[in-house]
Amino acid sequence: MSFLPAISFIALLLVLPVLLSLRRSTVAGVQFFCLACALSALAIASMMAAEITRAFLPAMLGYATLISASLFILLGFRGFLALSAPASLFPALALAAGAVGLVVSLNGYGGLGARVLIAAGTNSALLLVAGLAMLDRWPKAHPLSHAVIVASTAIGCAAVVYALGPWHQKAAGASASHAAIAFEFGLAAMRVAFLPLLFLAVILTVQSRVIANLRITIARDGLTGALSRGALIEAGERIFVDCLTRRRPLAFLLLDLDYFKQINDHYGHACGDIALTHFAETVSAFLDGRGAFGRIGGEEFGLILPDHTEEQATALAEAICRTVRETPVGRVHQRIRLTVSIGIAAAAPGDTITDVMIRADLALYDSKADGRDRCTIARQRQIDASARALAAAAAQLRQSDIPERESVAPRRMTRRHRS
């Protein structure tokens, strides 16, 4: 009796708990993979029993179980890859793979069909791992990787049915040629590595997708769906460095909903949340992927626009003001008209992302002081300690609950509440 199937059996038993721990993930197909892994282990156990006892029934049970495992592997990939192919195609593929493996196994160990199948199965293992690796790293390769994964799985399952079969026997007088040694190595690889390697690749790919989904969740504001503050700043720093390095223009827009405190006070905070969500959806739909749009805090949002000059950013800001003005909130008991004030700042040589955001903040103050529902271009001033202090004071005023009132102090030193 060969000990190689036992290694594969133990490896599958080690992999199975890890797969089971991923059942509650939102990734489709994981439950099929769990069932397939358990059936694969059962199939190998049956075939080992058949090899020990030389009994026919355990061998047939092992083959049938392995074909069932192949079916669930293919169904798992159908859900995992979101394939639109009909479900009936995958039982046909599994039966075909099992039939090919069984026929080759019954025809003998040293035949041409066996050698071709083992060679194809060994290559399919490599292609399968490569297809899973490029699945999420190269989105444009998705159609190709889907085809590679499904075809490699079917070929590999056929080779495994043969490699694990108890009936193949060595050809009489087989010479120890290089071809024979290569064939022996391929057979051993099929016996030991294919199924555990397949499920290990699935585990790594599922975990990668779960982590990617978590990163997307963390990067998004829970209420509005826009980028979170941290994700926006991280994207801004990356875009900022790229634009300055390549000497491309960049602009930053600071958007603040007008009279948002009054909306909360008059309609309630639930309607205020609806208004924020509506505003973010309206702006995101208008932008259609242009720039990085995120929520900085409260009713304040930021928009990073690479490859936009000051004039282009101003035209875009005016269009945003017009779009928001013409798209009232209609999902509450009455329509709420929204307006937005915007501060615009273009990056200059020697700036940091913080400098640009501070200038946009000061320009936003001017938009609020000049009557709201408008956009203002920031002055190209040096950002010194007093400017930073003024920007910090402006941020505090935006978060304060001081009722709106007129002030007799100079406009630059005291401002109305920017809601």
Side-chain angles (χ1 to χ4, degrees), residues 263 266-268 270-271 274 329-336:
I263 294 175
H266 185 73
Y267 298 102
C271 289
I274 293 175
V329 182
R331 288 180 290 179
V332 291
H333 58 279
Q334 69 180 85
R335 296 171 72 85
I336 303 174

Side-chain angles (χ1 to χ4, degrees), residues 298-361:
E299 67 273 22
E300 194 169 76
F301 294 78
L303 173 59
I304 302 164
L305 294 170
D307 301 317
H308 278 66
T309 63
E310 188 175 87
E311 292 76 14
Q312 292 171 326
T314 302
L316 184 66
E318 291 173 347
I320 291 174
C321 286
R322 182 171 57 254
T323 300
V324 172
R325 187 188 314 121
E326 295 173 354
T327 314
V329 182
R331 288 180 290 179
V332 291
H333 58 279
Q334 69 180 85
R335 296 171 72 85
I336 303 174
R337 179 175 175 270
L338 301 179
T339 61
V340 62
S341 298
I342 303 177
I344 306 165
D351 276 344
T352 65
I353 186 65
T354 303
D355 295 335
V356 178
M357 293 178 72
I358 289 175
R359 287 206 305 272
D361 187 73

Side-chain angles (χ1 to χ4, degrees), residues 117-199:
L117 185 59
I118 289 298
T122 305
N123 291 328
S124 72
L126 300 176
L127 289 174
L128 183 58
V129 174
L132 287 171
M134 72 181 187
L135 188 63
D136 292 319
R137 296 187 181 183
W138 295 286
K140 293 183 179 179
H142 272 193
L144 175 62
S145 63
H146 293 174
V148 167
I149 289 169
V150 173
S152 298
T153 302
I155 295 171
C157 288
V160 169
V161 169
Y162 166 71
L164 293 178
W167 294 324
H168 52 69
Q169 298 177 356
K170 289 187 177 182
S175 62
S177 64
H178 293 295
I181 294 174
F183 180 73
E184 289 281 357
F185 178 80
L187 181 63
M190 286 295 100
R191 279 177 167 246
V192 177
F194 185 83
L195 287 173
L197 186 63
L198 166 65
F199 291 114

Side-chain angles (χ1 to χ4, degrees), residues 70-114:
S70 303
L71 169 61
F72 286 113
I73 290 172
L74 291 170
L75 289 176
F77 279 125
R78 179 176 183 260
F80 185 73
L81 303 175
L83 299 177
S84 58
S88 58
L89 171 65
F90 297 94
L93 282 175
L95 289 173
V100 169
L102 181 60
V103 169
V104 174
S105 178
L106 293 174
N107 285 340
Y109 177 85
L112 176 63

Side-chain angles (χ1 to χ4, degrees), residues 3 12 18 49 65 92 134 164 166 207 215 248 283 299 324-325 335 341 346-347 363 374 377 383 390 393 417:
F3 65 90
L12 288 172
V18 183
T65 306
M134 72 181 187
L164 293 178
Q207 287 179 335
R215 286 177 177 172
R248 293 155 50 194
V283 175
E299 67 273 22
V324 172
R325 187 188 314 121
R335 296 171 72 85
S341 298
R374 66 194 65 217
I377 301 173
I383 305 300
L390 183 59
H417 179 236

